[in-house]
Amino acid sequence: MKKLTATDLKHEVKAYALITLGLLIYTFAVTAFLAPNHLVGGGVTGISTIIYFLSGETIPIGYSYFVLNFILIAIAVKVLGPRFGLKTVYAIFMSSLLLSVFQNFIHEPLLTDKFMCAVLSGIMCGAGIGISLANGGSTAGTDIVAMMINKYHNISPGKIIMYLDVIIIGCSYFIGESSAEDPTGKIATIIYGYVLMGVNSYAVDLVFTGQMQSVQFFIFSHKFEEVAKQISNTMNRGVTVVDCQGWYTGEHHKMLIVFARKSEMPNIMRIAKAIDPDAFMSISNVMGVYGKGFDTIKS
């Protein structure tokens, strides 16, 4: 069993803190914009609602919600590893706590315009889910399915969640007596749900992909050894040294090539400039970096 180092502990604490932040944003959006306006979302909550009505209102939504999440967590532990399962269990309990706390303080909707609520809640829910996913956590439900599929196939989590939720929200049209008495209102609710899911999926990809995006550094410095050693020791990133020659001056130089996450970019820039204020750097976004410390190629 691998010994937990101080660096690993710091990383885990940071991950749980960011997961909690994501859940704060997510649960606030649900309790402040969705629930008070009776807007329908997707996920396991939507599936549980369908089961509730199909069973003749005999199976409470809460029962099927926990059963479905328990099954998904059991599968996720097998497919994605125990740490993901632990963080997801944490997310479920934290989400329940935050929902209860927010509902005790928020009794009226902050906005009454349902369209605006759908857009705002979509942005906030997507951002919360994206932050949680990027740090190995989840708000459970369809997020778990998205992460399991994303592990083996290059399909963005936001698209997977959107496809599942489109089906779930669409099925809600055929449930309940209200569809026969007020079909226009039922269709409007479904449309708001689709707007919510579209914005939500885009926000998930924006946040999740943004945090996982990689950059490429070309660094030219006379103190290349010090810069390389500091980046390697501080950032735990590999550095490649390449021989090069300036065409105009004819001088021979050393160029450092570094691949890192976009979130690590400011630290690497500070390291290079602190050691050599005259360092010349080129930074560019890359479509993908595959290998140790980065992404893996999925079939």
Side-chain angles (χ1 to χ4, degrees), residues 142-178:
T142 51
D143 305 337
I144 301 177
V145 179
M147 288 298 288
M148 287 190 290
I149 295 176
N150 179 256
K151 181 179 180 179
Y152 298 104
H153 302 281
N154 288 317
I155 305 176
S156 68
K159 287 184 180 179
I160 299 170
I161 293 170
M162 183 182 69
Y163 294 153
L164 294 173
D165 288 343
V166 161
I167 297 173
I168 294 169
I169 295 172
C171 290
S172 67
Y173 177 84
F174 303 100
I175 298 174
E177 300 177 355
S178 58

Side-chain angles (χ1 to χ4, degrees), residues 38-39 41 54 72 74-75 86 90 95 101 105 136 154 178 183 190 204 242 254 261 264 278 287 298:
H38 304 284
L39 292 177
L54 290 178
L72 289 172
I75 298 173
L86 182 61
Y90 168 80
S95 296
V101 171
F105 291 96
N154 288 317
S178 58
I190 293 175
V204 169
V242 179
K254 298 289 186 180
R261 294 298 187 189
E264 298 171 327
D278 296 324
M287 291 297 294
K298 303 160 188 175

Side-chain angles (χ1 to χ4, degrees), residues 38-66 68 168-169 171-176 178 186 189:
H38 304 284
L39 292 177
V40 178
V44 170
T45 304
I47 298 174
S48 300
T49 304
I50 294 174
I51 293 174
Y52 174 70
F53 286 108
L54 290 178
S55 65
E57 302 183 8
T58 58
I59 301 177
I61 295 174
Y63 287 8
S64 54
Y65 177 84
F66 280 108
L68 289 172
I168 294 169
I169 295 172
C171 290
S172 67
Y173 177 84
F174 303 100
I175 298 174
S178 58
K186 190 69 174 179
T189 300

Side-chain angles (χ1 to χ4, degrees), residues 220-222 224 242-247 249-255:
F220 301 84
S221 172
H222 293 292
F224 68 93
V242 179
D243 291 315
C244 56
Q245 181 180 2
W247 175 256
T249 63
E251 295 181 1
H252 291 275
H253 299 278
K254 298 289 186 180
M255 178 181 70

